[in-house]
Amino acid sequence: MKAVQITAPGEMAVVEIAKPELKAGEVLLKINYVGFCGSDLNTYLGRNPMVNLPVIPGHEVGAMIEEVGSDVPDTLKTGMVVTLNPYSNCGKCPSCRNGRVNACEHNETMGVQRNGAMCEYVAMPWQKVIPAAEGMTPKECALIEPMSVGFHAVSRAAVTDIDTVMVIGCGMIGMGAIVRAALRGATVIAVDLDDEKLAIARRMGAHYTVNSKDEDLHARLAEITGGDGPDVVIEAVGSPFTQNSAISEVAFTGRVVFIGYAKAETAFITKYFVQKELDIRGSRNAMPSDFRAVIHFMQHNDFPKEELISAVATPATAHDAMKDWAAAPAKVFRVLVEF
């Protein structure tokens, strides 16, 4: 079967690999759509230290069940539209023992520490297969995983309806955080450098938008919050500058949640940690409940899903699509590869 493989930094190829053999407790999925994510872009650019090349990328999946193995619950049936949970967990580390399997110490995410789903078929343990809601398409399912990461960050921030929440970075993960915070009744401020993304953020639920390239972020936040600053800041970029902005702009006794990985060390003015008595939290991957929450949102709400898909490529044109993304990363939400 065909698979897309990142063979070396800046290099990608369509390769032939063996079709997986179905085992007991597994489900064979026919892949329809797989999204390229930020970790895939970093792998392609040679900036992902967790990856050993060559690797098949892809963990944002829309698929259909092709075959069901033995010892699989009858709730999973041939022909169902599904997505998948692409994270592994050991069941033994402190995270797993505490029930936070998304942050397993020994996690191997598909397309990062192990081969991903950018191929025609994958076989998955049935516990990792997540059925879509009735009427959802495989194309829509490929948006679930990145949005679920943003949903999880809002849970980590314990957002409520009396909070003002600033989300820095309006990519797919940031959009998920915007949606979830708005669903919880919070006042949401979206911050980005791109006006097109900010316009979509408003349609996804943001009450205010700030282009921090053209506007004074501190002055705008003071205007919006009456000088207090936001109660919650969710940082979905992963740069030292935005991470420091999160700490400096959050309100006293506020909560800061970091999703993005900075590519370089970040130096903080740590007096703010104590002076403001901040809660500073990390947010990694997503829980099964976050996937279900995204599916529920997508089933019951109209949102600009087509605007979140910047391009649809084939395996043969996937390399060209990745090169286009690398050339203009700020302009892309998601590139899907259709099988």
Side-chain angles (χ1 to χ4, degrees):
M1 67 175 184
K2 289 183 172 59
V4 175
Q5 187 180 70
I6 300 174
T7 55
E11 298 295 332
M12 189 178 295
V14 179
V15 298
E16 287 287 335
I17 62 172
K19 182 178 176 180
E21 295 183 5
L22 192 62
K23 300 175 184 176
E26 290 186 340
V27 176
L28 183 68
L29 303 182
K30 173 68 180 74
I31 302 299
N32 300 118
Y33 292 92
V34 186
F36 277 129
C37 76
S39 62
D40 298 326
L41 177 60
N42 284 325
T43 298
Y44 176 76
L45 295 173
R47 300 174 183 170
N48 193 338
M50 295 182 288
V51 170
N52 291 318
L53 297 178
V55 69
I56 296 169
H59 54 254
E60 303 172 359
V61 174
M64 295 184 71
I65 295 179
E66 179 86 1
E67 189 178 349
V68 177
S70 60
D71 302 326
V72 174
D74 60 10
T75 52
L76 296 174
K77 302 180 185 300
T78 300
M80 290 179 67
V81 176
V82 299
T83 189
L84 56 84
N85 183 330
Y87 324 121
S88 69
N89 59 283
C90 69
K92 300 176 182 178
C93 72
S95 300
C96 290
R97 293 200 305 269
N98 291 331
R100 291 163 65 177
V101 295
N102 59 296
C104 173
E105 182 179 356
H106 306 291
N107 167 65
E108 293 184 350
T109 298
M110 294 178 69
V112 185
Q113 294 94 345
R114 57 188 170 125
N115 279 329
M118 201 161 282
C119 51
E120 294 182 83
Y121 296 91
V122 296
M124 297 293 295
W126 69 263
Q127 297 92 337
K128 298 294 184 180
V129 178
I130 303 172
E134 185 176 352
M136 287 184 64
T137 67
K139 192 175 185 181
E140 292 171 331
C141 286
L143 303 177
I144 292 171
E145 192 274 343
M147 289 189 69
S148 73
V149 176
F151 271 47
H152 183 68
V154 171
S155 294
R156 291 284 294 142
V159 170
T160 73
D161 58 338
I162 63 171
D163 288 320
T164 297
V165 178
M166 176 169 71
V167 178
I168 306 176
C170 294
M172 277 296 298
I173 290 172
M175 289 295 182
I178 289 166
V179 168
R180 188 58 159 164
L183 288 172
R184 290 192 174 194
T187 299
V188 182
I189 306 166
V191 179
D192 202 273
L193 304 175
D194 186 87
D195 286 331
E196 292 180 16
K197 287 186 176 180
L198 290 170
I200 296 173
R202 277 193 176 272
R203 296 200 288 280
M204 297 290 280
H207 302 86
Y208 301 93
T209 57
V210 182
N211 186 323
S212 56
K213 179 177 66 176
D214 302 327
E215 302 175 76
D216 183 321
L217 178 62
H218 180 75
R220 281 285 285 131
L221 292 175
E223 176 187 336
I224 294 167
T225 67
D228 291 337
D231 304 289
V232 174
V233 177
I234 296 174
E235 197 278 343
V237 175
S239 80
F241 180 81
T242 52
Q243 290 179 334
N244 269 288
S245 292
I247 297 296
S248 62
E249 298 297 346
V250 72
F252 273 63
T253 67
R255 288 101 72 198
V256 176
V257 174
F258 292 126
I259 309 175
Y261 285 95
K263 310 305 183 292
E265 290 186 3
T266 301
F268 289 105
I269 302 174
T270 56
K271 75 170 185 178
Y272 290 140
F273 298 4
V274 176
Q275 187 180 43
K276 293 185 176 184
E277 199 175 47
L278 298 180
D279 289 336
I280 302 171
R281 303 174 184 177
S283 183
R284 183 182 181 191
N285 299 331
M287 294 286 282
S289 58
D290 300 307
F291 282 83
R292 293 194 299 271
V294 173
I295 291 169
H296 183 269
F297 164 75
M298 294 176 73
Q299 182 185 22
H300 293 96
N301 294 272
D302 186 26
F303 67 103
K305 58 181 76 73
E306 289 301 326
E307 294 180 64
L308 299 177
I309 301 170
S310 304
V312 178
T314 65
T317 62
H319 193 190
D320 290 334
M322 182 63 90
K323 287 190 287 188
D324 290 343
W325 189 12
K331 290 294 183 182
V332 172
F333 280 107
R334 272 303 175 271
V335 174
L336 303 185
V337 177
E338 181 179 8
F339 283 85

